[in-house]
Tab-separated table of all heavy atoms in Angstrom:
chain	number	residue	atom	x	y	z
Y	98	GLN	N	102.161	-9.140	-2.618
Y	98	GLN	CA	101.690	-10.332	-1.911
Y	98	GLN	C	102.708	-10.710	-0.842
Y	98	GLN	O	103.869	-10.671	-1.023
Y	98	GLN	CB	101.492	-11.490	-2.938
Y	98	GLN	CG	100.495	-11.254	-4.005
Y	98	GLN	CD	100.630	-12.317	-5.114
Y	98	GLN	OE1	101.339	-13.236	-5.032
Y	98	GLN	NE2	99.671	-12.186	-6.152
Y	99	ASN	N	102.172	-11.217	0.315
Y	99	ASN	CA	102.962	-11.803	1.269
Y	99	ASN	C	104.186	-10.931	1.800
Y	99	ASN	O	105.365	-11.389	1.968
Y	99	ASN	CB	103.533	-13.171	0.860
Y	99	ASN	CG	102.438	-14.193	0.577
Y	99	ASN	OD1	101.607	-14.482	1.499
Y	99	ASN	ND2	102.295	-14.628	-0.588
Y	100	ILE	N	103.923	-9.679	1.962
Y	100	ILE	CA	105.051	-8.709	2.164
Y	100	ILE	C	105.639	-8.979	3.625
Y	100	ILE	O	106.820	-8.678	3.794
Y	100	ILE	CB	104.625	-7.333	1.988
Y	100	ILE	CG1	103.693	-6.864	3.080
Y	100	ILE	CG2	104.040	-7.071	0.613
Y	100	ILE	CD1	103.689	-5.202	3.241
Y	101	GLN	N	104.825	-9.374	4.587
Y	101	GLN	CA	105.347	-9.631	5.922
Y	101	GLN	C	106.347	-10.731	5.913
Y	101	GLN	O	107.432	-10.731	6.510
Y	101	GLN	CB	104.244	-9.876	6.890
Y	101	GLN	CG	103.464	-8.678	7.095
Y	101	GLN	CD	102.157	-8.792	8.013
Y	101	GLN	OE1	102.188	-8.571	9.188
Y	101	GLN	NE2	101.140	-9.332	7.460
Y	102	THR	N	106.002	-11.807	5.142
Y	102	THR	CA	106.870	-12.983	5.010
Y	102	THR	C	108.184	-12.588	4.247
Y	102	THR	O	109.282	-12.971	4.570
Y	102	THR	CB	106.198	-14.129	4.283
Y	102	THR	OG1	104.993	-14.528	4.970
Y	102	THR	CG2	107.056	-15.424	4.240
Y	103	ARG	N	108.056	-11.824	3.178
Y	103	ARG	CA	109.125	-11.305	2.381
Y	103	ARG	C	110.130	-10.553	3.204
Y	103	ARG	O	111.352	-10.724	3.208
Y	103	ARG	CB	108.707	-10.490	1.225
Y	103	ARG	CG	109.763	-9.995	0.331
Y	103	ARG	CD	109.243	-9.234	-0.910
Y	103	ARG	NE	108.529	-10.125	-1.833
Y	103	ARG	CZ	107.225	-10.057	-2.082
Y	103	ARG	NH1	106.548	-9.069	-1.419
Y	103	ARG	NH2	106.609	-10.884	-2.840
Y	104	MET	N	109.655	-9.587	4.054
Y	104	MET	CA	110.515	-8.745	4.861
Y	104	MET	C	111.239	-9.593	5.871
Y	104	MET	O	112.388	-9.418	6.023
Y	104	MET	CB	109.622	-7.682	5.562
Y	104	MET	CG	108.996	-6.664	4.632
Y	104	MET	SD	107.990	-5.434	5.461
Y	104	MET	CE	109.197	-4.381	6.182
Y	105	LEU	N	110.497	-10.413	6.608
Y	105	LEU	CA	111.145	-11.151	7.665
Y	105	LEU	C	111.939	-12.366	7.251
Y	105	LEU	O	112.910	-12.804	7.898
Y	105	LEU	CB	110.151	-11.568	8.739
Y	105	LEU	CG	109.498	-10.423	9.513
Y	105	LEU	CD1	108.454	-10.932	10.438
Y	105	LEU	CD2	110.523	-9.606	10.236
Y	106	GLY	N	111.543	-13.014	6.092
Y	106	GLY	CA	112.152	-14.275	5.620
Y	106	GLY	C	113.262	-14.031	4.675
Y	106	GLY	O	114.279	-14.656	4.657
Y	107	ALA	N	113.106	-12.976	3.771
Y	107	ALA	CA	114.061	-12.703	2.742
Y	107	ALA	C	114.879	-11.430	3.013
Y	107	ALA	O	115.673	-10.943	2.226
Y	107	ALA	CB	113.386	-12.524	1.323
Y	108	ASP	N	114.531	-10.718	4.105
Y	108	ASP	CA	115.168	-9.484	4.541
Y	108	ASP	C	115.059	-8.476	3.399
Y	108	ASP	O	116.041	-7.791	3.101
Y	108	ASP	CB	116.618	-9.786	4.906
Y	108	ASP	CG	117.185	-8.571	5.755
Y	108	ASP	OD1	116.413	-7.910	6.424
Y	108	ASP	OD2	118.363	-8.410	5.732
Y	109	SER	N	113.853	-8.445	2.760
Y	109	SER	CA	113.730	-7.504	1.533
Y	109	SER	C	112.741	-6.472	1.848
Y	109	SER	O	111.883	-6.529	2.688
Y	109	SER	CB	113.179	-8.472	0.447
Y	109	SER	OG	112.718	-7.654	-0.578
Y	110	PHE	N	113.045	-5.357	1.076
Y	110	PHE	CA	112.001	-4.226	1.018
Y	110	PHE	C	110.713	-4.898	0.628
Y	110	PHE	O	110.614	-5.867	-0.254
Y	110	PHE	CB	112.445	-3.332	0.007
Y	110	PHE	CG	111.529	-2.080	-0.135
Y	110	PHE	CD1	111.713	-0.992	0.709
Y	110	PHE	CD2	110.549	-2.003	-1.110
Y	110	PHE	CE1	110.846	0.136	0.664
Y	110	PHE	CE2	109.642	-0.932	-1.185
Y	110	PHE	CZ	109.818	0.151	-0.253
Y	111	PRO	N	109.571	-4.521	1.210
Y	111	PRO	CA	108.300	-5.317	0.983
Y	111	PRO	C	107.865	-5.435	-0.446
Y	111	PRO	O	107.465	-6.477	-0.953
Y	111	PRO	CB	107.249	-4.527	1.779
Y	111	PRO	CG	107.917	-3.190	2.069
Y	111	PRO	CD	109.327	-3.390	2.089
Y	112	TYR	N	107.871	-4.300	-1.210
Y	112	TYR	CA	107.315	-4.299	-2.541
Y	112	TYR	C	108.354	-4.622	-3.593
Y	112	TYR	O	108.664	-3.774	-4.479
Y	112	TYR	CB	106.655	-3.054	-2.773
Y	112	TYR	CG	105.590	-2.555	-1.747
Y	112	TYR	CD1	105.526	-1.247	-1.362
Y	112	TYR	CD2	104.731	-3.432	-1.260
Y	112	TYR	CE1	104.586	-0.870	-0.366
Y	112	TYR	CE2	103.668	-3.098	-0.413
Y	112	TYR	CZ	103.623	-1.824	0.077
Y	112	TYR	OH	102.710	-1.430	0.930
Y	113	ARG	N	108.845	-5.816	-3.616
Y	113	ARG	CA	109.891	-6.316	-4.481
Y	113	ARG	C	109.405	-7.680	-5.091
Y	113	ARG	O	108.850	-8.446	-4.362
Y	113	ARG	CB	111.273	-6.292	-3.982
Y	113	ARG	CG	111.781	-4.928	-3.568
Y	113	ARG	CD	112.080	-4.103	-4.823
Y	113	ARG	NE	112.544	-2.795	-4.567
Y	113	ARG	CZ	111.864	-1.663	-4.528
Y	113	ARG	NH1	110.529	-1.789	-4.710
Y	113	ARG	NH2	112.369	-0.407	-4.272
Y	114	ASP	N	109.872	-8.000	-6.333
Y	114	ASP	CA	109.509	-9.300	-6.854
Y	114	ASP	C	110.528	-10.304	-6.396
Y	114	ASP	O	111.375	-10.805	-7.169
Y	114	ASP	CB	109.611	-9.184	-8.453
Y	114	ASP	CG	109.070	-10.460	-9.089
Y	114	ASP	OD1	108.660	-11.343	-8.368
Y	114	ASP	OD2	109.197	-10.526	-10.350
Y	115	VAL	N	110.459	-10.588	-5.100
Y	115	VAL	CA	111.305	-11.580	-4.424
Y	115	VAL	C	110.457	-12.796	-4.127
Y	115	VAL	O	109.433	-12.664	-3.333
Y	115	VAL	CB	111.981	-11.048	-3.139
Y	115	VAL	CG1	112.750	-12.143	-2.466
Y	115	VAL	CG2	112.879	-9.842	-3.434
Y	116	ALA	N	110.728	-13.908	-4.721
Y	116	ALA	CA	109.789	-15.053	-4.629
Y	116	ALA	C	109.770	-15.526	-3.150
Y	116	ALA	O	110.762	-15.598	-2.366
Y	116	ALA	CB	110.374	-16.174	-5.509
Y	117	ILE	N	108.570	-15.863	-2.795
Y	117	ILE	CA	108.346	-16.461	-1.532
Y	117	ILE	C	108.224	-17.970	-1.562
Y	117	ILE	O	107.359	-18.526	-2.353
Y	117	ILE	CB	106.985	-15.957	-0.877
Y	117	ILE	CG1	107.063	-14.345	-0.884
Y	117	ILE	CG2	106.891	-16.445	0.555
Y	117	ILE	CD1	108.176	-13.742	-0.064
Y	118	THR	N	109.113	-18.693	-0.983
Y	118	THR	CA	109.179	-20.176	-0.932
Y	118	THR	C	108.858	-20.629	0.480
Y	118	THR	O	108.890	-19.949	1.456
Y	118	THR	CB	110.463	-20.718	-1.475
Y	118	THR	OG1	111.535	-20.296	-0.590
Y	118	THR	CG2	110.751	-20.051	-2.912
Y	119	GLU	N	108.784	-21.935	0.612
Y	119	GLU	CA	108.590	-22.533	1.949
Y	119	GLU	C	109.873	-22.239	2.795
Y	119	GLU	O	109.760	-22.020	4.006
Y	119	GLU	CB	108.402	-23.971	1.790
Y	119	GLU	CG	107.966	-24.698	3.104
Y	119	GLU	CD	106.564	-24.171	3.526
Y	119	GLU	OE1	105.753	-23.800	2.675
Y	119	GLU	OE2	106.275	-24.176	4.740
Y	120	ASP	N	111.022	-22.183	2.176
Y	120	ASP	CA	112.259	-21.907	2.889
Y	120	ASP	C	112.229	-20.504	3.446
Y	120	ASP	O	112.622	-20.226	4.495
Y	120	ASP	CB	113.449	-22.131	1.970
Y	120	ASP	CG	114.780	-21.763	2.681
Y	120	ASP	OD1	115.092	-22.477	3.706
Y	120	ASP	OD2	115.544	-20.812	2.268
Side-chain angles (χ1 to χ4, degrees):
Q98 299 170 0
N99 297 299
I100 72 161
Q101 295 174 97
T102 305
R103 180 177 295 114
M104 292 178 76
L105 293 179
D108 200 26
S109 168
F110 184 83
Y112 305 135
R113 293 291 178 263
D114 187 6
V115 175
I117 307 299
T118 63
E119 194 63 29
D120 180 62

